[in-house]
Amino acid sequence: MLITTDYLRPGDEVDEFLRLSGLETDHLPMTGRRDPEQLVAALAGIDAALVANEPLTAGVLARAPGLRAIVRTGVGYDSIDVAAAARLGISVSNLPGINANAVAEYTMGLLLAGARRLVQSAHGVAQGAWPRADGRELRGSTLGLIGYGASARALVPLARAFGMSVICSTRVPARLRDDPSVAFVGLHELLATADYVSVHTSLTERTRGLLGEAAFERMKPTALLVNTARGPIVDEDALVAAVRAGQIAGAALDVVSEEPLPPGSPLRGVEGIVVYSHLAGQTAEARAAAGRRGAEELVAALEGRARFRVN
């Protein structure tokens, strides 16, 4: 089996569990972009894979005839063509909720950093200045959640503890909207009302480019956008234009359309936009849990009893 998740190593707890389960492991950590031919070569002779964000397209999967199971060591699986995998008889699983607490805490960090302009202050001091611009308090403000998955739900009590009101736009059925402290509204109302808009929805054809020019025109000029979900949900060109025009105050982006952020990205050098390196779910605790559960799911999938199969 192939392991590409970069924090899993030969001889660690996960590797030992897999080997005791009768599997031979091959580690090839993903530390940057891989072209399709590299992926095809890596999958040669492989029966199962524990993966990061590799683009496992229909073309790549079709050239991996021995592959029977894929487990994504995280929540999002948009980098895998799950329909093609199903046609080829390949089981695909994710790990729902595995890093929800890590993402929620990190999102609060971005909200605080954005409200108090912490990154700009530290950067100014590093450059020899002494910035003293006013920040804003979270208490009394409104947080708008786009999506109501595990990370959004984990964020609600943290935001409430800071004195924020929480509203949410989601397609989750009404019977599952079980938190009376959250007001569920339409997306247009959320964008017009929220002081902070935090993205927690999955990337689909419906949500690709969801936050574009029209969305930014509805938002408050003082609003901050936070995205810890998937980069392509935000139209980056429209975001840059909106921030430069003062339509919104700024954005804290943990995810972008192309990762790592390329040198020529329009997001670079824009006052008010801070880009982080996709760290929301990266805690020691979340990584340990994802490794263990991912290995367990992979063994189960090979035995035909996957718990979190998505196709």
Side-chain angles (χ1 to χ4, degrees), residues 30-310:
M30 181 183 178
T31 56
R33 297 183 67 82
R34 287 187 180 137
D35 64 39
E37 291 304 316
Q38 289 176 309
L39 280 173
V40 169
L43 290 167
I46 295 296
D47 301 291
L50 197 59
V51 302
N53 284 314
E54 281 88 355
L56 296 174
T57 64
V60 169
L61 295 174
R63 295 171 65 187
L67 193 59
R68 296 163 47 204
I70 300 169
V71 173
R72 167 78 177 88
T73 51
V75 179
Y77 52 90
D78 48 276
S79 60
I80 305 171
D81 190 327
V82 294
R87 289 194 299 271
L88 293 166
I90 303 169
S91 167
V92 178
S93 296
N94 72 335
L95 303 177
I98 194 67
N99 56 12
N101 187 70
V103 173
E105 290 186 1
Y106 185 86
T107 302
M108 282 305 306
L110 297 189
L111 292 172
L112 287 164
R116 301 303 297 269
R117 298 178 57 81
L118 299 183
V119 173
Q120 293 87 343
S121 175
H123 179 73
V125 172
Q127 298 300 312
W130 195 248
R132 299 281 294 161
D134 287 345
R136 301 183 65 184
E137 297 181 16
L138 296 182
R139 181 171 298 277
S141 63
T142 298
L143 172 63
L145 305 175
I146 298 179
Y148 194 56
S151 64
R153 295 177 192 218
L155 178 58
V156 172
L158 303 183
R160 296 285 295 169
F162 274 86
M164 304 180 81
S165 299
V166 182
I167 60 177
C168 179
S169 173
T170 182
R171 299 183 75 178
V172 167
R175 69 180 186 279
L176 300 178
R177 303 175 188 180
D178 52 2
D179 189 337
S181 70
V182 178
F184 292 92
V185 299
L187 180 60
H188 288 185
E189 181 179 347
L190 181 145
L191 293 172
T193 304
D195 299 295
Y196 302 89
V197 175
S198 187
V199 185
H200 297 270
T201 191
S202 58
L203 176 63
T204 66
E205 287 310 304
R206 183 187 65 83
T207 62
R208 186 178 297 274
L210 178 68
L211 297 177
E213 182 179 354
F216 298 132
E217 287 176 350
R218 293 188 181 96
M219 291 171 64
K220 294 180 177 182
T222 54
L224 177 76
L225 172 68
V226 174
N227 187 8
T228 57
R230 284 292 183 266
I233 295 171
V234 176
D235 181 330
E236 293 173 355
D237 289 327
L239 172 63
V240 168
V243 172
R244 284 181 168 159
Q247 287 180 319
I248 67 172
L253 307 176
D254 189 51
V255 288
V256 290
S257 293
E258 184 178 348
E259 297 179 7
L261 188 69
S265 170
L267 297 170
R268 289 189 180 275
V270 180
E271 177 66 24
I273 297 179
V274 181
V275 180
Y276 299 85
S277 53
H278 203 152
L279 294 172
Q282 304 303 304
T283 64
E285 296 85 354
R287 283 180 165 184
R292 288 193 302 269
R293 192 185 297 178
E296 292 166 358
E297 177 70 5
L298 196 65
V299 171
L302 287 171
E303 295 174 352
R305 51 181 183 86
R307 294 179 57 204
F308 305 111
R309 185 167 179 169
V310 297

